[in-house]
C-alpha cells in the first residue's frame, strides 16, 4: 500500500511563505487524486488543495485561493503545496491524502471531503506568528 510522507512544515512570521512536500512511497497510477488538508487548533480538518495524476497543477479551495497553490514534480514523484502571504489563522497540522482505489477523469472531480481519501500521511506542522 502506498504511504505518504509530508515535510516542509515550520514556524514562520505572518506574511511569509512555505512549501510543503508530499512524497508517495511508490508510483501512483494516472487518474488518482491527492489532496492537502489542514486541521487548526479546535477546528475540523478541511480540504484546501487537490490534484489528479498526471496533472501538474490542481485546484485550491476558496479559503486559500490566491495564496496557496498545488502542483506536482513528476520526476521527483512529489506533490507540493506552495503557501504565500501566510496568516496566523493558517496555523495547523497539514496532511497529504490519497484516494487509492478510484479513477477520476479530471481534477475537478477529485473529492473535497475527508471521506473521499483513504490513505493519509502523518502530517507536518505549520505555525504562523503575528
Amino acid at each position: 500500500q502506498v504511504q505518504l510522507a509530508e515535510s516542509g512544515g515550520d514556524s514562520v512570521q505572518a506574511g511569509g511563505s512555505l512549501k510543503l512536500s508530499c512524497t508517495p512511497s511508490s508510483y501512483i497510477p494516472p487518474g488518482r487524486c491527492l489532496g492537502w488538508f489542514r486541521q487548526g487548533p479546535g477546528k475540523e480538518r478541511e480540504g484546501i488543495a487537490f490534484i489528479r495524476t498526471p496533472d501538474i497543477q490542481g485546484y485550491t479551495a476558496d479559503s486559500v485561493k490566491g495564496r496557496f497553490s498545488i502542483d506536482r514534480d513528476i520526476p521527483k514523484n512529489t506533490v507540493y503545496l506552495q503557501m504565500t502571504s501566510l496568516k496566523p489563522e493558517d496555523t495547523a497540522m497539514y496532511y497529504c491524502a490519497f484516494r487509492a482505489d478510484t479513477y477520476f477523469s479530471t481534477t475537478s472531480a477529485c473529492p473535497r471531503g475527508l471521506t473521499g481519501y483513504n490513505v493519509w500521511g502523518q502530517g507536518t506542522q505549520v505555525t504562523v506568528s503575528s
Side-chain angles (χ1 to χ4, degrees), residues 96-112:
C96 182
F98 166 58
R99 178 63 179 263
D101 55 2
T102 303
Y103 176 86
F104 296 91
S105 58
T106 63
T107 290
S108 61
C110 287
R112 304 289 188 259

Side-chain angles (χ1 to χ4, degrees), residues 1-4 24-27 98 100 118-120:
Q1 177 172 316
V2 174
Q3 295 180 326
L4 303 174
S25 60
S26 60
Y27 171 77
F98 166 58
N118 49 18
V119 178
W120 290 83

Side-chain angles (χ1 to χ4, degrees), residues 16-18 20 36 38 46 48-49 58-61 63-71 80-87 89-91 94 126 128:
S17 300
L18 281 176
L20 306 184
W36 280 101
R38 68 181 181 183
E46 65 166 334
I48 56 173
Y59 166 92
T60 52
S63 59
V64 299
K65 196 176 294 290
R67 298 190 300 122
F68 293 9
S69 62
I70 183 171
D71 53 43
Y80 299 105
L81 182 68
Q82 311 265 7
M83 306 188 295
T84 64
S85 302
L86 283 162
K87 305 175 182 180
E89 50 264 44
D90 294 319
T91 294
Y94 284 72
V126 173
V128 185

Side-chain angles (χ1 to χ4, degrees), residues 28-32 51-57 72 74 103-104:
I28 293 180
R32 300 297 192 266
I51 194 166
R52 184 193 73 107
T53 57
D55 298 345
I56 297 175
Q57 293 184 321
R72 288 177 66 234
I74 296 175
Y103 176 86
F104 296 91

